[in-house]
């Protein structure tokens, strides 16, 4: 089948019945995971639409496979194809430690300006969790993907560049930075904060989440973290006032998003003690990194954690975990994080019925205690292989 490209018209994604969706297999366990993902998605789409809709997969090269086949880890054609098709999904890619090429994941996010990292954490009954009432966890983190300390503006202690910055700050700006300090800069801008918060509030409204929380460390870092909070409130007040109630100004109201903010350290205890009071969390890069991993741990760990990197129109879906190379080729890895990433992708293109089937099938399969090794060792059951688990899921679609 040839398929048609997804396009953007009047600021909206237009999805044909046979969209071409590029995928990157990924390294290590990536090929096993992506094989499972495509099988489950194809079956869910077939069940939901009875042949009227079908994804036409298009493989793109990246990582070790790209090096083997075309001699470079991230061919230009791959980036261009994602740009042209708007929506894509990828397996994990290995980043060589201490040399080699830089992170392909980071490169893809930057080249396509995928500024929102979206990480849902939802509990599926039967998954081992350290919480007493894990069923109360249903949150989605929107993490700013392009600035904050991750922007990589840093100088190494003792270098001439570091010394120059240190002198400037000490002599011109009245600071007192010692000679043996490395220096990092944390830019947080209004435009980038607001476009992230816009994605988060629109998601909360569209998916009926009761709460949006701006998470920040603004009590200490007033002009970066504090500004993130202020710019977030400003945008919501100006553009979304009809859809929200602000904490301190009214009660929670059915059909409206309750908007509040929390200081980052407090937020960590909130997700443990009162998870049911939170829904969508919008936050800066470093906070988002920490809180989304903490949330993943509450709902089954890395094997269960999906993610998406989204820009104005482009979106790249992926499991949060890495390539887990020690399990490569062993047919044991848990493909659920990849499958839930595909579920997010189906929601993103508006194929809700197929997404819901996947959601229900994951819930049912796990509640039947049919799980891969990572969950089996905590539940105390015999593990299924990746392919057995995939087949069990498909049976439950
Ligand atoms: P990792 O691949 O995520 O694996 C760490 C451990 O997490 C595994 O050994 C396994 O734990 C568990 N795990 C991960 N995925 C799982 C799954 N699907 N099912 C069950 N368990 C799973 O992290 P890493 O070993 O630090 O990184 C390996 C490579 O991946 C590195 O090159 C790293 O840079 C890269 N990476 C890529 C991405 C990405 O593509 N977005 C993200 C993170 C890391 P047990 O051994 O305890 O079972």
């Amino acid at each position: 089948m040839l398929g048609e490209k997804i396009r953007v018209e009047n600021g909206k994604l237009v999805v044909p019945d046979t969209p071409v969706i590029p995928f990157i297999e990924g390294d290590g366990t990536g090929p096993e995971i992506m094989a499972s993902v495509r099988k489950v998605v194809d079956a869910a789409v077939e069940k939901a639409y009875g042949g009227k809709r079908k994804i036409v997969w298009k493989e793109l090269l990246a990582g070790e496979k790209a090096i083997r086949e075309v001699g470079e880890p991230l061919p230009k054609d791959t980036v261009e194809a994602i740009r042209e098709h708007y929506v894509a999904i990828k397996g994990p890619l290995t980043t060589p430690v201490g040399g080699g090429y830089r992170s392909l994941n980071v490169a893809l996010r930057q080249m396509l300006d995928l500024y929102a990292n979206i990480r849902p954490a939802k509990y599926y009954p039967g998954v081992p969790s350290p919480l007493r009432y894990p069923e109360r966890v249903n949150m989605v983190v929107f993490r700013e993907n392009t600035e904050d300390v991750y922007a990589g503006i840093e100088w190494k202690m003792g270098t001439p560049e570091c010394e120059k910055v240190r002198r400037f700050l000490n002599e011109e700006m009245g600071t007192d930075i010692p000679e043996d300090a490395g220096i990092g800069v944390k830019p947080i801008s209004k435009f980038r904060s607001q476009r992230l918060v816009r994605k988060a509030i629109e998601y909360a409204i569209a998916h009926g989440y009761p709460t949006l929380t701006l998470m920040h460390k603004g009590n200490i870092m007033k002009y970066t973290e504090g500004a993130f909070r202020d710019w977030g409130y400003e945008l919501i007040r100006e553009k979304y006032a009809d859809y929200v109630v602000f904490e301190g100004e009214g009660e929670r109201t059915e059909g409206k998003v309750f908007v509040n903010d929390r200081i980052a350290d407090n937020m960590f205890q909130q997700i443990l003690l009162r998870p049911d009071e939170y829904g969508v969390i919008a936050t800066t890069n470093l906070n988002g990194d920490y809180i989304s991993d903490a949330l993943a741990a509450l709902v089954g760990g890395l094997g269960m954690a999906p993610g998406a990197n989204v820009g104005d129109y482009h979106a790249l879906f992926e499991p949060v975990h890495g390539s887990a190379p020690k399990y490569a080729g062993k047919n044991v890895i848990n493909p659920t994080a990849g499958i839930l990433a595909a579920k997010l992708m189906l929601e993103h293109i508006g194929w809700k019925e197929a997404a819901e089937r996947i959601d229900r099938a994951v819930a049912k399969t796990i509640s039947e205690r049919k799980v891969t090794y990572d969950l089996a060792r905590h539940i105390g059951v015999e593990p299924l292989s990746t392919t057995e688990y995939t087949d069990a899921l498909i049976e439950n679609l």
Side-chain angles (χ1 to χ4, degrees):
M1 191 184 282
L2 270 174
E4 270 182 79
K5 281 181 194 157
I6 292 176
R7 23 181 231 287
V8 170
E9 275 173 20
N10 302 322
K12 286 220 156 57
L13 221 53
V14 179
V15 181
D17 282 340
T18 54
V20 178
I21 297 197
F23 71 97
I24 293 167
E25 257 192 353
D27 300 323
T29 49
E32 296 156 70
I33 290 170
M34 285 309 295
S36 164
V37 167
R38 287 192 295 141
K39 217 168 148 187
V40 170
V41 169
D42 286 344
V45 169
E46 169 66 31
K47 284 232 160 118
Y49 308 113
K52 190 177 162 286
R53 287 176 166 170
K54 187 175 170 37
I55 289 175
V56 179
W57 300 102
K58 175 187 171 72
E59 183 171 3
L60 303 179
L61 293 177
E64 289 160 4
K65 193 169 181 181
I67 295 178
R68 275 198 310 274
E69 296 193 11
V70 294
E72 53 176 331
L74 187 58
K76 240 203 209 112
D77 290 355
T78 293
V79 182
E80 278 319 304
I82 300 175
R83 215 188 289 282
E84 214 179 285
H85 290 84
Y86 290 103
V87 174
I89 186 163
K90 63 177 274 295
L93 292 165
T94 297
T95 306
V97 177
Y101 46 90
R102 71 191 188 116
S103 165
L104 300 176
N105 301 301
V106 174
L108 277 168
R109 283 170 210 170
Q110 286 175 350
M111 288 160 122
L112 298 164
D113 197 22
L114 305 174
Y115 55 80
N117 179 218
I118 306 175
R119 289 188 46 179
K122 176 180 156 181
Y123 182 71
Y124 289 93
V127 170
S129 167
L131 283 189
R132 192 175 305 165
Y133 303 110
E135 63 283 0
R136 294 180 183 173
V137 178
N138 183 8
M139 289 175 239
V140 185
V141 176
F142 278 68
R143 169 191 177 205
E144 208 289 328
N145 233 354
T146 66
E147 52 185 5
D148 197 353
V149 286
Y150 263 50
I153 311 173
E154 278 199 307
W155 295 278
K156 187 176 173 181
M157 185 271 279
T159 60
E161 294 79 14
C162 189
E163 188 50 25
K164 196 169 171 184
V165 176
R166 189 179 78 86
R167 270 229 191 105
F168 168 74
L169 290 172
N170 285 355
E171 289 168 13
E172 311 262 333
M173 308 303 289
T175 58
D176 185 22
I177 299 171
E179 238 173 78
D180 59 348
I183 299 176
V185 170
K186 173 188 172 82
I188 303 271
S189 67
K190 181 172 179 176
F191 171 73
R192 291 178 180 200
S193 299
Q194 289 193 332
R195 69 179 179 173
L196 184 271
V197 173
R198 180 179 301 118
K199 278 256 181 272
I201 183 72
E202 287 186 351
Y203 187 91
I205 295 167
H207 293 84
Y209 277 87
T211 313
L212 171 76
T213 304
L214 302 169
M215 174 187 176
H216 60 90
K217 188 71 185 163
N219 54 329
I220 304 298
M221 291 169 272
K222 298 182 195 310
Y223 308 124
T224 50
E225 297 274 330
F228 173 85
R229 178 201 62 182
D230 295 345
W231 292 324
Y233 275 131
E234 181 188 295
L235 172 92
I236 297 169
R237 228 175 252 292
E238 273 175 18
K239 300 265 165 53
Y240 300 93
D242 292 346
Y243 299 93
V244 305
V245 176
F246 292 98
E247 188 175 74
E249 296 180 10
E251 298 298 314
R252 281 183 184 274
T253 309
E254 187 67 31
K256 295 212 173 189
V257 183
F258 194 64
V259 177
N260 56 20
D261 75 279
R262 294 287 181 270
I263 289 172
D265 33 345
N266 177 24
M267 196 66 210
F268 275 88
Q269 62 151 344
Q270 295 291 322
I271 62 164
L272 294 173
L273 299 177
R274 300 154 81 160
D276 44 347
E277 291 180 21
Y278 296 91
V280 175
I281 299 168
T283 191
T284 52
N285 191 288
L286 187 61
N287 292 332
D289 195 18
Y290 297 156
I291 197 88
S292 52
D293 265 33
L295 277 168
L298 302 182
V299 296
L302 281 177
M304 297 294 296
N309 293 295
V310 175
D312 282 338
Y313 301 112
H314 290 91
L316 181 58
F317 297 83
E318 62 178 354
V320 165
H321 61 72
S323 52
K326 70 178 175 186
Y327 297 119
K330 298 210 163 95
N331 194 22
V332 297
I333 199 79
N334 185 355
T336 311
I339 291 166
L340 293 175
K343 179 205 138 204
L344 286 180
M345 182 181 83
L346 292 168
E347 284 171 356
H348 181 78
I349 64 171
W351 292 13
K352 245 175 86 184
E353 300 77 11
E356 278 165 10
R357 275 182 193 265
I358 291 180
D359 196 58
R360 286 197 300 266
V362 168
K364 182 155 191 275
T365 310
I366 292 173
S367 70
E368 291 169 351
R369 297 156 75 92
K370 293 177 181 161
V371 293
T372 45
Y373 85 92
D374 51 322
L375 302 186
R377 67 187 164 192
H378 296 294
I379 303 175
V381 292
E382 271 300 304
L384 297 190
S385 69
T386 309
T387 44
E388 286 166 343
Y389 173 74
T390 305
D391 291 341
L393 257 181
I394 290 173
E395 211 148 280
N396 283 334
L397 276 170

